[in-house]
Amino acid sequence: MYIITGGGSGIGKALALALAQRGKAVLIVGRRESLLQETALKSDLIKYLCADVSKPDDLKLIQDYLHATRAITGLINNAGTIHPVASIMTINSIEWHNTLGTNLDAALFLPQLLHDKLAGGRVLNVGSGAAYFAIKGWTAYCVSKAALSMLTRCWQQEVDTLSFASVMPGIIDTQMQEIARSGDNMDAEHTNFYRRLKRNNRLVAPETVAEFLVWLLLDTDKTRYGSQEWDIYDTAHHQEWLKAPHQVLHWDF
Ligand SMILES: NC(=O)c1ccc[n+]([C@@H]2O[C@H](COP(=O)([O-])OP(=O)(O)OC[C@H]3O[C@@H](n4cnc5c(N)ncnc54)[C@H](OP(=O)(O)O)[C@@H]3O)[C@@H](O)[C@H]2O)c1
């Protein structure tokens, strides 16, 4: 079984469907039941659980739900939030901890809780290029993704019973990108860049990201899997996973 947090929309949804197409059982987790239900209805192999991964009690709920599951093949820490999009001077503690809880803490505590069942399996942390450059108003997001990248390396160093990797999935046509293009985004340069990408049909489709992640999870050997922080724009591996009609366009546009 594969567990995908944030599986009711965007990348998580596309990945759930792509794994199911490869015959894998999937549990998707998120807060909005309607979205989870809609995804699960598309395949008998997909089940869902409502849980907020920023809350310790809900992580325990996920562990309890899986008590009868013998083995978990993969955990994809994909749930993410870009909120608060706010000046660094105005971020409040509740918003900050909610973002860090979702984007970072879950990738520490969920593998801890599921470790025994995950033995021999893979954990994939969905990071972001925003880990490596500051975007005005995105402090909590950039910091959480930078920390997630380091957390992945710390897991790799200390625990060899599971395989860990992190991935930069690109600039993707999802709900999160809608926020990035909206008037709420304080960084005019990036907002205009994202709007240009959308206008010119250069955002990556979630289904293309799913092809990439499925290749990482199912078709790479363990040594290669943990060998780098994966970047969808790295042309060195496009030929391994891109199949028509999927395409990925370089972001430097
Ligand atoms: N779109 C991009 O351009 C882009 C670029 C780089 C990285 N990423 C990363 O890709 C991942 C997926 O994002 P996306 O682009 O597919 O956007 P999305 O459609 O907004 O997906 C985010 C998912 O996370 C879930 N989620 C958020 N907070 C949660 C919480 N506390 N507990 C459980 N689930 C939660 C949401 O569902 P609920 O609200 O129902 O809980 C939603 O399904 C994120 O980690 C994001 O940072 C995206």
Side-chain angles (χ1 to χ4, degrees), residues 53-56 59 75 77 79 96-113 125 144-145 147-148 151 155:
V53 298
S54 70
K55 297 189 171 146
L59 296 184
L75 165 65
N77 290 308
W96 176 259
H97 288 292
N98 177 53
T99 305
L100 273 284
T102 305
N103 296 2
L104 178 64
D105 297 10
L108 171 59
F109 296 116
L110 209 44
Q112 276 184 2
L113 288 172
N125 293 329
S144 65
K145 293 295 186 180
L148 181 63
L151 176 65
W155 269 116

mmCIF file of all heavy atoms in Angstrom, residues 53-56 59 75 77 79 96-113 125 144-145 147-148 151 155:
data_model
loop_
_atom_site.group_PDB
_atom_site.id
_atom_site.type_symbol
_atom_site.label_atom_id
_atom_site.label_comp_id
_atom_site.label_asym_id
_atom_site.label_seq_id
_atom_site.Cartn_x
_atom_site.Cartn_y
_atom_site.Cartn_z
ATOM 1 N N VAL A 53 -2.678 16.672 8.672
ATOM 2 C CA VAL A 53 -1.330 16.177 9.004
ATOM 3 C C VAL A 53 -0.524 17.147 9.869
ATOM 4 O O VAL A 53 0.553 16.789 10.332
ATOM 5 C CB VAL A 53 -0.517 15.797 7.735
ATOM 6 C CG1 VAL A 53 -1.181 14.682 6.960
ATOM 7 C CG2 VAL A 53 -0.245 17.017 6.860
ATOM 8 N N SER A 54 -1.055 18.348 10.090
ATOM 9 C CA SER A 54 -0.334 19.280 10.976
ATOM 10 C C SER A 54 -0.660 19.000 12.439
ATOM 11 O O SER A 54 -0.067 19.596 13.334
ATOM 12 C CB SER A 54 -0.688 20.736 10.629
ATOM 13 O OG SER A 54 -2.028 21.019 11.007
ATOM 14 N N LYS A 55 -1.606 18.088 12.691
ATOM 15 C CA LYS A 55 -2.053 17.838 14.067
ATOM 16 C C LYS A 55 -1.572 16.473 14.563
ATOM 17 O O LYS A 55 -1.905 15.440 13.956
ATOM 18 C CB LYS A 55 -3.584 17.885 14.146
ATOM 19 C CG LYS A 55 -4.127 19.245 13.788
ATOM 20 C CD LYS A 55 -5.606 19.333 14.082
ATOM 21 C CE LYS A 55 -6.076 20.778 13.930
ATOM 22 N NZ LYS A 55 -7.420 20.888 13.434
ATOM 23 N N PRO A 56 -0.840 16.435 15.666
ATOM 24 C CA PRO A 56 -0.341 15.162 16.190
ATOM 25 C C PRO A 56 -1.454 14.124 16.394
ATOM 26 O O PRO A 56 -1.265 12.942 16.091
ATOM 27 C CB PRO A 56 0.299 15.559 17.539
ATOM 28 C CG PRO A 56 0.685 16.996 17.350
ATOM 29 C CD PRO A 56 -0.352 17.591 16.445
ATOM 30 N N LEU A 59 -2.214 12.513 13.126
ATOM 31 C CA LEU A 59 -1.162 11.575 12.679
ATOM 32 C C LEU A 59 -1.367 10.234 13.373
ATOM 33 O O LEU A 59 -1.215 9.165 12.785
ATOM 34 C CB LEU A 59 0.232 12.134 12.973
ATOM 35 C CG LEU A 59 0.610 13.420 12.227
ATOM 36 C CD1 LEU A 59 2.048 13.814 12.540
ATOM 37 C CD2 LEU A 59 0.431 13.273 10.717
ATOM 38 N N LEU A 75 5.361 6.002 1.421
ATOM 39 C CA LEU A 75 4.671 7.147 2.034
ATOM 40 C C LEU A 75 5.107 8.382 1.262
ATOM 41 O O LEU A 75 6.317 8.657 1.163
ATOM 42 C CB LEU A 75 5.083 7.275 3.508
ATOM 43 C CG LEU A 75 4.731 8.602 4.189
ATOM 44 C CD1 LEU A 75 3.216 8.802 4.285
ATOM 45 C CD2 LEU A 75 5.365 8.668 5.585
ATOM 46 N N ASN A 77 4.892 12.238 1.351
ATOM 47 C CA ASN A 77 4.549 13.437 2.121
ATOM 48 C C ASN A 77 4.382 14.580 1.130
ATOM 49 O O ASN A 77 5.339 15.294 0.800
ATOM 50 C CB ASN A 77 5.657 13.742 3.133
ATOM 51 C CG ASN A 77 5.699 12.734 4.258
ATOM 52 O OD1 ASN A 77 4.667 12.466 4.897
ATOM 53 N ND2 ASN A 77 6.854 12.156 4.516
ATOM 54 N N ALA A 79 1.239 16.635 1.152
ATOM 55 C CA ALA A 79 0.355 17.716 1.625
ATOM 56 C C ALA A 79 1.194 18.962 1.846
ATOM 57 O O ALA A 79 2.289 18.904 2.404
ATOM 58 C CB ALA A 79 -0.323 17.310 2.931
ATOM 59 N N TRP A 96 2.246 30.421 11.301
ATOM 60 C CA TRP A 96 3.599 29.878 11.138
ATOM 61 C C TRP A 96 3.625 28.387 11.496
ATOM 62 O O TRP A 96 4.120 27.558 10.739
ATOM 63 C CB TRP A 96 4.555 30.677 12.027
ATOM 64 C CG TRP A 96 5.969 30.186 12.031
ATOM 65 C CD1 TRP A 96 6.566 29.421 12.995
ATOM 66 C CD2 TRP A 96 6.968 30.421 11.029
ATOM 67 N NE1 TRP A 96 7.872 29.167 12.656
ATOM 68 C CE2 TRP A 96 8.151 29.767 11.457
ATOM 69 C CE3 TRP A 96 6.991 31.117 9.817
ATOM 70 C CZ2 TRP A 96 9.337 29.795 10.711
ATOM 71 C CZ3 TRP A 96 8.175 31.150 9.089
ATOM 72 C CH2 TRP A 96 9.315 30.482 9.524
ATOM 73 N N HIS A 97 3.065 28.069 12.668
ATOM 74 C CA HIS A 97 3.121 26.679 13.130
ATOM 75 C C HIS A 97 2.219 25.767 12.292
ATOM 76 O O HIS A 97 2.532 24.590 12.109
ATOM 77 C CB HIS A 97 2.811 26.593 14.627
ATOM 78 C CG HIS A 97 3.941 27.145 15.438
ATOM 79 N ND1 HIS A 97 5.172 26.538 15.522
ATOM 80 C CD2 HIS A 97 4.053 28.282 16.152
ATOM 81 C CE1 HIS A 97 5.987 27.257 16.252
ATOM 82 N NE2 HIS A 97 5.340 28.332 16.654
ATOM 83 N N ASN A 98 1.155 26.330 11.743
ATOM 84 C CA ASN A 98 0.307 25.526 10.869
ATOM 85 C C ASN A 98 1.076 25.138 9.594
ATOM 86 O O ASN A 98 1.049 23.982 9.159
ATOM 87 C CB ASN A 98 -0.971 26.298 10.509
ATOM 88 C CG ASN A 98 -1.829 25.487 9.542
ATOM 89 O OD1 ASN A 98 -2.153 24.339 9.805
ATOM 90 N ND2 ASN A 98 -2.152 26.066 8.402
ATOM 91 N N THR A 99 1.782 26.101 9.021
ATOM 92 C CA THR A 99 2.552 25.826 7.796
ATOM 93 C C THR A 99 3.679 24.845 8.079
ATOM 94 O O THR A 99 3.880 23.869 7.345
ATOM 95 C CB THR A 99 3.123 27.140 7.211
ATOM 96 O OG1 THR A 99 2.044 28.033 7.027
ATOM 97 C CG2 THR A 99 3.813 26.900 5.883
ATOM 98 N N LEU A 100 4.432 25.119 9.132
ATOM 99 C CA LEU A 100 5.539 24.207 9.468
ATOM 100 C C LEU A 100 5.007 22.821 9.824
ATOM 101 O O LEU A 100 5.611 21.813 9.480
ATOM 102 C CB LEU A 100 6.358 24.778 10.646
ATOM 103 C CG LEU A 100 7.511 25.752 10.337
ATOM 104 C CD1 LEU A 100 8.727 25.004 9.808
ATOM 105 C CD2 LEU A 100 7.141 26.856 9.361
ATOM 106 N N GLY A 101 3.857 22.787 10.499
ATOM 107 C CA GLY A 101 3.253 21.499 10.872
ATOM 108 C C GLY A 101 2.892 20.683 9.635
ATOM 109 O O GLY A 101 3.125 19.477 9.572
ATOM 110 N N THR A 102 2.339 21.352 8.645
ATOM 111 C CA THR A 102 1.895 20.655 7.428
ATOM 112 C C THR A 102 3.079 20.298 6.532
ATOM 113 O O THR A 102 3.220 19.160 6.085
ATOM 114 C CB THR A 102 0.926 21.569 6.624
ATOM 115 O OG1 THR A 102 -0.139 21.970 7.493
ATOM 116 C CG2 THR A 102 0.359 20.852 5.417
ATOM 117 N N ASN A 103 3.926 21.282 6.250
ATOM 118 C CA ASN A 103 4.967 21.099 5.232
ATOM 119 C C ASN A 103 6.202 20.379 5.766
ATOM 120 O O ASN A 103 6.983 19.857 4.984
ATOM 121 C CB ASN A 103 5.408 22.462 4.678
ATOM 122 C CG ASN A 103 4.297 23.186 3.941
ATOM 123 O OD1 ASN A 103 3.178 22.693 3.862
ATOM 124 N ND2 ASN A 103 4.578 24.360 3.415
ATOM 125 N N LEU A 104 6.379 20.397 7.094
ATOM 126 C CA LEU A 104 7.626 19.870 7.643
ATOM 127 C C LEU A 104 7.410 18.796 8.713
ATOM 128 O O LEU A 104 7.901 17.667 8.585
ATOM 129 C CB LEU A 104 8.438 21.041 8.232
ATOM 130 C CG LEU A 104 9.758 20.673 8.893
ATOM 131 C CD1 LEU A 104 10.731 20.084 7.879
ATOM 132 C CD2 LEU A 104 10.371 21.900 9.571
ATOM 133 N N ASP A 105 6.649 19.145 9.761
ATOM 134 C CA ASP A 105 6.543 18.224 10.907
ATOM 135 C C ASP A 105 6.006 16.850 10.496
ATOM 136 O O ASP A 105 6.464 15.819 10.987
ATOM 137 C CB ASP A 105 5.615 18.793 11.998
ATOM 138 C CG ASP A 105 6.137 20.086 12.607
ATOM 139 O OD1 ASP A 105 7.113 20.645 12.059
ATOM 140 O OD2 ASP A 105 5.560 20.548 13.598
ATOM 141 N N ALA A 106 5.031 16.862 9.587
ATOM 142 C CA ALA A 106 4.430 15.583 9.176
ATOM 143 C C ALA A 106 5.478 14.645 8.582
ATOM 144 O O ALA A 106 5.406 13.426 8.753
ATOM 145 C CB ALA A 106 3.310 15.833 8.164
ATOM 146 N N ALA A 107 6.471 15.218 7.906
ATOM 147 C CA ALA A 107 7.515 14.388 7.283
ATOM 148 C C ALA A 107 8.527 13.876 8.307
ATOM 149 O O ALA A 107 9.345 13.014 7.994
ATOM 150 C CB ALA A 107 8.230 15.187 6.188
ATOM 151 N N LEU A 108 8.469 14.418 9.508
ATOM 152 C CA LEU A 108 9.267 13.854 10.599
ATOM 153 C C LEU A 108 8.455 12.806 11.357
ATOM 154 O O LEU A 108 8.893 11.665 11.544
ATOM 155 C CB LEU A 108 9.700 14.972 11.565
ATOM 156 C CG LEU A 108 10.360 14.514 12.873
ATOM 157 C CD1 LEU A 108 11.619 13.697 12.608
ATOM 158 C CD2 LEU A 108 10.703 15.712 13.756
ATOM 159 N N PHE A 109 7.229 13.188 11.739
ATOM 160 C CA PHE A 109 6.506 12.338 12.686
ATOM 161 C C PHE A 109 5.752 11.170 12.033
ATOM 162 O O PHE A 109 5.577 10.134 12.663
ATOM 163 C CB PHE A 109 5.570 13.197 13.550
ATOM 164 C CG PHE A 109 6.351 14.172 14.399
ATOM 165 C CD1 PHE A 109 6.238 15.540 14.226
ATOM 166 C CD2 PHE A 109 7.247 13.709 15.361
ATOM 167 C CE1 PHE A 109 6.982 16.433 14.994
ATOM 168 C CE2 PHE A 109 7.999 14.593 16.140
ATOM 169 C CZ PHE A 109 7.865 15.958 15.954
ATOM 170 N N LEU A 110 5.319 11.355 10.789
ATOM 171 C CA LEU A 110 4.585 10.243 10.153
ATOM 172 C C LEU A 110 5.514 9.041 9.876
ATOM 173 O O LEU A 110 5.151 7.907 10.222
ATOM 174 C CB LEU A 110 3.887 10.755 8.880
ATOM 175 C CG LEU A 110 2.608 10.047 8.454
ATOM 176 C CD1 LEU A 110 1.664 9.766 9.602
ATOM 177 C CD2 LEU A 110 1.911 10.847 7.364
ATOM 178 N N PRO A 111 6.711 9.262 9.317
ATOM 179 C CA PRO A 111 7.618 8.103 9.170
ATOM 180 C C PRO A 111 8.003 7.490 10.518
ATOM 181 O O PRO A 111 8.173 6.263 10.603
ATOM 182 C CB PRO A 111 8.849 8.695 8.471
ATOM 183 C CG PRO A 111 8.341 9.911 7.767
ATOM 184 C CD PRO A 111 7.253 10.456 8.651
ATOM 185 N N GLN A 112 8.109 8.316 11.552
ATOM 186 C CA GLN A 112 8.381 7.745 12.896
ATOM 187 C C GLN A 112 7.259 6.790 13.287
ATOM 188 O O GLN A 112 7.483 5.651 13.697
ATOM 189 C CB GLN A 112 8.436 8.854 13.951
ATOM 190 C CG GLN A 112 9.748 9.571 14.097
ATOM 191 C CD GLN A 112 9.680 10.578 15.256
ATOM 192 O OE1 GLN A 112 8.674 10.700 15.952
ATOM 193 N NE2 GLN A 112 10.763 11.310 15.434
ATOM 194 N N LEU A 113 6.023 7.277 13.164
ATOM 195 C CA LEU A 113 4.869 6.482 13.614
ATOM 196 C C LEU A 113 4.676 5.219 12.776
ATOM 197 O O LEU A 113 4.234 4.190 13.282
ATOM 198 C CB LEU A 113 3.581 7.323 13.533
ATOM 199 C CG LEU A 113 3.429 8.426 14.580
ATOM 200 C CD1 LEU A 113 2.229 9.292 14.249
ATOM 201 C CD2 LEU A 113 3.278 7.822 15.975
ATOM 202 N N ASN A 125 9.439 12.879 -0.096
ATOM 203 C CA ASN A 125 9.019 14.188 0.393
ATOM 204 C C ASN A 125 8.916 15.160 -0.781
ATOM 205 O O ASN A 125 9.884 15.352 -1.528
ATOM 206 C CB ASN A 125 10.029 14.713 1.417
ATOM 207 C CG ASN A 125 10.021 13.878 2.683
ATOM 208 O OD1 ASN A 125 8.977 13.321 3.063
ATOM 209 N ND2 ASN A 125 11.151 13.769 3.349
ATOM 210 N N SER A 144 9.922 26.306 5.280
ATOM 211 C CA SER A 144 9.487 24.924 5.530
ATOM 212 C C SER A 144 10.035 23.975 4.469
ATOM 213 O O SER A 144 10.442 22.857 4.770
ATOM 214 C CB SER A 144 7.953 24.838 5.592
ATOM 215 O OG SER A 144 7.387 25.163 4.342
ATOM 216 N N LYS A 145 10.110 24.424 3.205
ATOM 217 C CA LYS A 145 10.609 23.545 2.143
ATOM 218 C C LYS A 145 12.131 23.411 2.221
ATOM 219 O O LYS A 145 12.669 22.340 1.913
ATOM 220 C CB LYS A 145 10.178 24.066 0.769
ATOM 221 C CG LYS A 145 8.663 23.989 0.532
ATOM 222 C CD LYS A 145 8.149 22.540 0.487
ATOM 223 C CE LYS A 145 6.682 22.459 0.105
ATOM 224 N NZ LYS A 145 6.154 21.093 0.060
ATOM 225 N N ALA A 147 13.764 23.450 5.018
ATOM 226 C CA ALA A 147 13.956 22.526 6.146
ATOM 227 C C ALA A 147 13.579 21.095 5.753
ATOM 228 O O ALA A 147 14.214 20.130 6.199
ATOM 229 C CB ALA A 147 13.120 22.994 7.339
ATOM 230 N N LEU A 148 12.578 20.962 4.904
ATOM 231 C CA LEU A 148 12.162 19.615 4.461
ATOM 232 C C LEU A 148 13.291 18.925 3.692
ATOM 233 O O LEU A 148 13.521 17.722 3.849
ATOM 234 C CB LEU A 148 10.910 19.728 3.582
ATOM 235 C CG LEU A 148 10.326 18.418 3.055
ATOM 236 C CD1 LEU A 148 9.833 17.519 4.191
ATOM 237 C CD2 LEU A 148 9.179 18.695 2.076
ATOM 238 N N LEU A 151 15.684 17.845 6.278
ATOM 239 C CA LEU A 151 15.103 16.724 7.040
ATOM 240 C C LEU A 151 15.278 15.409 6.269
ATOM 241 O O LEU A 151 15.594 14.366 6.867
ATOM 242 C CB LEU A 151 13.615 17.003 7.308
ATOM 243 C CG LEU A 151 12.838 15.883 8.010
ATOM 244 C CD1 LEU A 151 13.364 15.660 9.432
ATOM 245 C CD2 LEU A 151 11.337 16.214 8.056
ATOM 246 N N TRP A 155 17.180 12.088 7.676
ATOM 247 C CA TRP A 155 16.587 10.745 7.680
ATOM 248 C C TRP A 155 17.524 9.765 6.971
ATOM 249 O O TRP A 155 17.781 8.663 7.440
ATOM 250 C CB TRP A 155 15.238 10.752 6.956
ATOM 251 C CG TRP A 155 14.020 11.016 7.793
ATOM 252 C CD1 TRP A 155 13.185 12.091 7.688
ATOM 253 C CD2 TRP A 155 13.458 10.185 8.819
ATOM 254 N NE1 TRP A 155 12.152 11.975 8.588
ATOM 255 C CE2 TRP A 155 12.292 10.818 9.289
ATOM 256 C CE3 TRP A 155 13.831 8.966 9.382
ATOM 257 C CZ2 TRP A 155 11.492 10.287 10.304
ATOM 258 C CZ3 TRP A 155 13.036 8.425 10.395
ATOM 259 C CH2 TRP A 155 11.890 9.085 10.840
#
